[in-house]
Amino acid sequence: ADVLAIRVENAGGGYVDEQSVLAFIRTEIGEEFSRTTVAQDVKALEKSGRFAFVGVSIEPLPSGVELVFKVRAKPSLTRLRVTGAEYMTPNKVRKIVELERGDPVDDAVMAVEALKIKEKYHNRNFPFVKVDWLIEEDEETGEADVTIKIEEGERAKIKRITFEGNIAVESKRLRKIMQQKKSSWISWLTKTGVYDPTILEVDTYALRRLYLDRGFLDVEIKEPRVEKLGHGRSEIVVPIEEGRAYTISGYTVEGIETFPEDEVTRGIRFKAGDAASLANIEGSGQAMRDYYGSRGYIRTAVKPELNVDSNTGEVSINYTLREGKLAYIRNISIRGNERTKDKVIRRELVVYPGEVMNEVKIRRSERRLSNLGYFNSVFSAPQPTDNDEEYDLVFEVAEQKTGQFVVGAGFS
């Protein structure tokens, strides 16, 4: 059936411009009806961020169908109030929000704006700030007044970072790997000592990884607490449940066929009785992949399975290895370089056409290109050719923006 008509129906009280709806619709009058295309039209309207509701009905006609897109516009902002902002002031908060009269607003929009406000407060040492909002909508006109409610809380610099439950690792070592720092006399310049919950969340993963790399496979890093110390100061407390330290009882490797097992496993980084370090376990798997990869066997996979005995505190490791296939480099091409000449890039490569696809040398080439400082990212990938054993090697680079402004500060 063909689409004979497309109509827009307002499912709410506010104003809906028919042309603004049709602008997001790919379906055209006269073409064959496609449920896939109509579904994509609905998704496009939803992603536009303009509508609180999007639906479509298919109305049969004598010789085709009519599509009726039913939409309800998000309420448009008429007035924005800010309460509770004493340190930041309401005007500064409005500038952070950047909402203008007539902009669509709903809870999703305000949740994003609330995060922006919290970030600004956190940067000014208000770790306990709370941001809420109230949307008062007139359903007949589709307009809304929005009130942002702020509870600033006490201003507090991070003066201490402490840990609870850490026995095997001293606090000094734990603090050293954290990006969240305590304040100091130079914090006005370095911006350290500012509470940042996002950084703190990343730190919990770093702390857990440190313990895993020491064989504490059951470790739990609890949610950090921010506690008031008074006089504008606060403390971050990180609770830790270390669990027990595990040792390695032994390992097995399955799937080695092409090369001698003692050669493939020569890069194993541990022996029986060593701490069950996740870094050594993963690194040993990578060493076996590199053995194959350096000989041109691409896409070799090594998967470690840890069998943990919580009673004895021992771990046995079973590596399952899937051998890749031998591949050669046919051509090497560079993509993404608009300003940097090909020859500048190629002279940093340590792989060449006609050689085996040496994955270790390819990674080294990527590092050499990254070290040039010209690129934000460097990525390589083999592309299949007509010959099953030959691949084209493609290096994708993303160049950095030119023109940097550097400010230096000196003090004594």
Side-chain angles (χ1 to χ4, degrees):
D2 291 339
V3 178
L4 301 182
I6 298 176
R7 184 159 50 88
V8 176
E9 188 175 292
N10 187 358
Y15 172 72
V16 172
D17 179 18
E18 182 175 344
Q19 293 304 314
S20 68
V21 175
L22 296 176
F24 292 96
I25 295 174
R26 293 174 53 193
T27 303
E28 295 183 359
I29 295 175
E31 69 179 17
E32 186 177 358
F33 169 70
S34 168
R35 290 188 180 275
T36 301
T37 305
V38 172
Q40 292 173 348
D41 291 338
V42 172
K43 287 183 179 179
L45 288 167
E46 291 173 341
K47 288 182 179 180
S48 72
R50 301 185 179 194
F51 307 104
F53 168 80
V54 178
V56 62
S57 62
I58 305 164
E59 307 291 343
L61 296 176
S63 57
V65 297
E66 178 187 35
L67 300 181
V68 181
F69 287 90
K70 301 178 181 181
V71 298
R72 182 172 71 251
K74 289 182 180 179
S76 59
L77 178 66
T78 53
R79 184 165 55 174
L80 179 64
R81 304 186 190 92
V82 179
T83 63
E86 297 179 4
Y87 172 83
M88 194 77 74
T89 76
N91 283 337
K92 289 183 179 179
V93 173
R94 291 190 188 95
K95 290 180 180 179
I96 295 169
V97 171
E98 295 182 337
L99 285 176
E100 302 290 343
R101 182 182 176 88
D103 288 345
V105 291
D106 62 3
D107 287 334
V109 171
M110 295 310 302
V112 172
E113 301 302 331
L115 285 175
K116 290 162 60 176
I117 296 170
K118 282 184 178 180
E119 182 180 359
K120 289 292 184 181
Y121 268 98
H122 289 160
N123 290 340
R124 286 161 175 75
N125 298 311
F126 285 86
F128 312 106
V129 65
K130 295 180 181 179
V131 181
D132 201 355
W133 63 89
L134 175 65
I135 301 175
E136 299 175 283
E137 180 183 358
D138 186 330
E139 294 185 358
E140 291 186 4
T141 64
E143 296 177 332
D145 290 346
V146 176
T147 303
I148 297 176
K149 303 176 181 180
I150 297 175
E151 295 180 24
E152 293 182 333
E154 184 179 336
R155 194 180 189 196
K157 293 182 179 180
I158 304 301
K159 298 301 292 184
R160 286 204 305 257
I161 300 176
T162 59
F163 305 89
E164 294 177 347
N166 59 310
I167 300 171
V169 185
E170 61 181 7
S171 297
K172 183 179 180 180
R173 175 69 182 121
L174 296 174
R175 276 191 289 267
K176 189 174 181 180
I177 68 168
M178 294 179 65
Q179 295 182 48
Q180 174 72 69
K181 303 297 183 183
K182 64 180 182 178
S183 62
S184 64
W185 67 272
I186 201 175
S187 291
W188 63 272
L189 180 62
T190 62
K191 303 299 182 184
T192 55
V194 175
Y195 171 70
D196 190 328
T198 304
I199 289 178
L200 199 53
E201 185 177 357
V202 174
D203 283 340
T204 60
Y205 289 104
L207 292 170
R208 183 171 184 271
R209 182 69 200 205
L210 183 147
Y211 272 96
L212 291 174
D213 289 345
R214 296 188 176 205
F216 291 82
L217 304 182
D218 300 327
V219 65
E220 287 188 52
I221 308 298
K222 303 290 187 179
E223 185 175 354
R225 305 189 307 269
V226 181
E227 298 181 351
K228 298 178 182 179
L229 296 175
H231 305 291
R233 302 180 304 164
S234 61
E235 174 185 25
I236 293 175
V237 182
V238 185
I240 299 174
E241 290 185 10
E242 292 182 332
R244 71 181 303 167
Y246 288 86
T247 57
I248 294 174
S249 60
Y251 70 90
T252 58
V253 183
E254 299 176 359
I256 299 176
E257 297 178 0
T258 306
F259 300 101
E261 183 172 336
D262 61 339
E263 291 289 331
V264 176
T265 59
R266 184 174 292 176
I268 297 290
R269 299 181 180 180
F270 55 80
K271 61 184 182 299
D274 286 352
S277 164
L278 193 60
N280 287 341
I281 294 170
E282 292 176 345
S284 298
Q286 182 63 51
M288 287 187 278
R289 281 193 294 272
D290 287 347
Y291 182 90
Y292 281 86
S294 64
R295 288 158 177 78
Y297 286 79
I298 65 172
R299 300 192 176 99
T300 296
V302 181
K303 181 181 178 181
E305 180 183 350
L306 278 61
N307 301 302
V308 180
D309 189 332
S310 57
N311 294 321
T312 63
E314 291 185 325
V315 178
S316 63
I317 303 152
N318 178 51
Y319 289 100
T320 303
L321 187 149
R322 189 189 74 244
E323 294 184 335
K325 67 175 183 176
L326 184 61
Y328 293 85
I329 301 172
R330 188 181 71 171
N331 294 314
I332 297 176
S333 58
I334 315 294
R335 295 177 185 170
N337 56 317
E338 297 178 359
R339 296 183 301 275
T340 310
K341 293 182 178 180
D342 269 24
K343 66 179 183 180
V344 174
I345 296 175
R346 289 183 185 275
R347 71 189 181 198
E348 299 297 324
L349 304 181
V350 293
V351 288
Y352 306 96
E355 293 184 336
V356 295
M357 189 77 70
N358 188 322
E359 293 182 327
V360 176
K361 285 187 176 181
I362 291 171
R363 288 204 304 272
R364 192 188 310 162
S365 299
E366 291 177 351
R367 287 196 299 270
R368 286 169 65 96
L369 290 175
S370 296
N371 291 339
L372 288 175
Y374 300 160
F375 311 111
N376 286 320
S377 65
V378 178
F379 173 77
S380 66
Q383 302 291 333
T385 66
D386 295 336
N387 187 332
D388 289 342
E389 290 188 352
E390 288 187 330
Y391 287 78
D392 289 337
L393 181 59
V394 179
F395 284 88
E396 294 270 4
V397 298
E399 292 179 318
Q400 292 187 1
K401 293 181 180 180
T402 58
Q404 296 181 347
F405 182 68
V406 179
V407 176
F411 60 90
S412 63

